[in-house]
Amino acid sequence: MKNLLLSFFCIISLSASAQYTRDSILVPYTSSASPTWKCLVYKRNNYPVANYKYPLLVFLHGAGEAGSNLSRIYTNSGSGGAPYFIEQGLFPNSFTVNGQTHEFIVIAPQGTGWGPNGTQTDFVLRHVVPLYNIDTNRIYVYGLSAGGAGTVEYIAGLNPSQSDTNLVVRWKAAAAVPHAPATNAPAATWGQKIVNDSVRVWAFGDPESDIHGTRGQQIVNSINAAKASFARFTNTNAGHSAFNTQFNPTYTENINGTNINIYQWMLQYS
């Protein structure tokens, strides 16, 4: 069955920054081999390094980047996440955390009308992970707005709607960064599920002027109600915009005496 499903993948090598190769692949986002979405994949030019398993960084876009043109993601200076910074040559080749150096494989599936939800993200990963040398203990999910909602749904086990909590993902995330997630107000069960699965969360948003920023703060509160100080929240004071400010690798916060970005923060956890 696995070989049959892999036969549906189409891989096209494209250009990217000097240190990364960009591929476009077709991935099923349901339990069947079709229909498919387009999905960006970025790998270092020296991939694969022998005996090295790569952390996987999963970027879930917002509704504005949905469609069939992948350039909507990687050319968006405000909402493109890691794909945008890679294309601009502004994404580091590696990150060193606790004395260990890590190189990401980055993927970004493109939903056709909205950001990928939690269930769809699970199906995408079920098909993508076996294709590459992935460290399945180091899968990190992050996204904005609609993609922030998908990030929360994936880690909270919400299937198929935000009222159900019976999604069993194939691979649990080690850490997640939802930015202004377009979700419902979270139930206490969301936070408990995230804590039970040991998924660390750093959420961003503007709760003063954006309902989705409020949702991000409420999700962190739900998690911390289940386990104190398990998740963190940053008020962006930017409304529902400027997502790439925090997704920029140059953006850091002082955490426990060390200035780190979201990518270094995620890599602390496995």
Side-chain angles (χ1 to χ4, degrees):
M1 182 64 175
K2 176 180 174 183
N3 291 336
L4 175 63
L5 290 174
L6 292 182
S7 69
F8 283 84
F9 284 84
C10 174
I11 303 179
I12 303 171
S13 293
L14 304 168
S15 63
S17 75
Q19 300 300 320
Y20 288 86
T21 298
R22 181 203 331 134
D23 296 330
S24 171
I25 69 175
L26 297 179
V27 294
Y29 56 91
T30 69
S31 58
S32 64
S34 63
T36 59
W37 280 342
K38 293 181 179 179
C39 180
L40 290 166
V41 180
Y42 291 92
K43 308 184 302 292
R44 285 291 313 282
N45 286 345
N46 62 353
Y47 174 88
V49 174
N51 302 315
Y52 180 66
K53 292 290 188 179
Y54 291 76
L56 179 65
L57 182 63
V58 183
F59 176 67
L60 302 182
H61 64 77
E65 292 72 60
S68 59
N69 184 350
L70 285 171
S71 69
R72 288 188 177 185
I73 300 174
Y74 62 77
T75 62
N76 195 318
S77 62
S79 305
Y84 170 78
F85 293 109
I86 291 172
E87 295 285 343
Q88 298 299 311
L90 300 174
F91 199 78
N93 299 328
S94 63
F95 296 84
T96 300
V97 177
N98 297 327
Q100 293 186 319
T101 299
H102 305 276
E103 297 180 5
F104 282 118
I105 289 177
V106 179
I107 71 167
Q110 186 181 38
T112 53
W114 186 251
N117 65 33
T119 306
Q120 293 163 337
T121 299
D122 177 52
F123 283 122
V124 168
L125 292 185
R126 285 172 185 260
H127 295 290
V128 169
V129 169
L131 292 177
Y132 304 101
N133 296 349
I134 301 298
D135 181 351
T136 55
N137 292 313
R138 290 187 176 275
I139 292 177
Y140 308 100
V141 184
Y142 81 121
L144 61 106
S145 192
T151 299
V152 171
E153 291 161 8
Y154 186 82
I155 63 175
L158 307 180
N159 172 38
S161 73
Q162 294 175 4
S163 62
D164 297 328
T165 56
N166 60 356
L167 171 63
V168 179
V169 301
R170 175 62 181 85
W171 290 285
K172 296 176 183 177
V177 178
H179 198 313
T183 69
N184 298 331
T189 53
W190 298 18
Q192 189 63 61
K193 166 69 172 173
I194 291 167
V195 168
N196 290 347
D197 286 345
S198 297
V199 184
R200 301 305 292 258
V201 172
W202 183 358
F204 292 88
D206 181 353
E208 278 78 35
S209 63
D210 175 33
I211 185 59
H212 303 312
T214 300
R215 296 293 182 250
Q217 187 174 53
Q218 290 172 336
I219 288 160
V220 168
N221 291 344
S222 173
I223 296 168
N224 288 340
K227 185 172 183 178
S229 303
F230 197 74
R232 60 184 288 113
F233 179 78
T234 295
N235 187 336
T236 64
N237 295 301
H240 197 68
S241 65
F243 305 106
N244 267 2
T245 298
Q246 287 75 39
F247 293 164
N248 192 326
T250 63
Y251 174 87
T252 63
E253 290 190 22
N254 189 288
I255 301 175
N256 299 323
T258 303
N259 291 322
I260 59 176
N261 57 40
I262 64 167
Y263 309 102
Q264 294 166 311
W265 178 84
M266 286 189 277
L267 283 165
Q268 295 178 103
Y269 304 108
S270 63

